[in-house]
Amino acid sequence: MALTPQQQTLLNDYRAAYGRLSTGGQVTEITSNGRTVKYAKGDIARLERDIAELEALAARPSDLPIRRRGALSIRL
């Protein structure tokens, strides 16, 4: 599944923040959709999780249908 442009930008920002933190940066700030998140050295596991989540979304094939449950009906 292809990421939306906003998700791709966010993934790029996450990767850049990870690079800055892993090379000794103190605090990295990311703003998306009016929401600001600050990552510090101690948040590197959280940042890794956020990156993995978006990468997994991008790797999912887009031709797979999304399973949705319909309304339940009972027949007697």
Side-chain angles (χ1 to χ4, degrees):
M1 177 177 169
L3 296 176
T4 65
Q6 293 166 333
Q7 290 172 324
Q8 186 60 51
T9 299
L10 188 57
L11 179 57
N12 293 340
D13 290 345
Y14 283 161
R15 287 177 176 158
Y18 183 83
R20 285 191 297 273
L21 288 176
S22 65
T23 57
Q26 297 300 316
V27 176
T28 299
E29 187 175 294
I30 296 174
T31 302
S32 175
N33 295 330
R35 184 177 146 229
T36 300
V37 179
K38 291 184 181 182
Y39 293 97
K41 192 72 169 171
D43 295 326
I44 207 150
R46 178 181 171 197
L47 189 53
E48 287 172 340
R49 186 187 70 234
D50 292 342
I51 290 170
E53 183 179 301
L54 282 173
E55 287 176 340
L57 183 62
R60 192 174 79 196
S62 61
D63 59 343
L64 289 179
I66 297 173
R67 295 182 65 185
R68 297 183 186 183
R69 292 184 149 187
L72 290 176
S73 63
I74 300 174
R75 294 186 185 193
L76 299 176

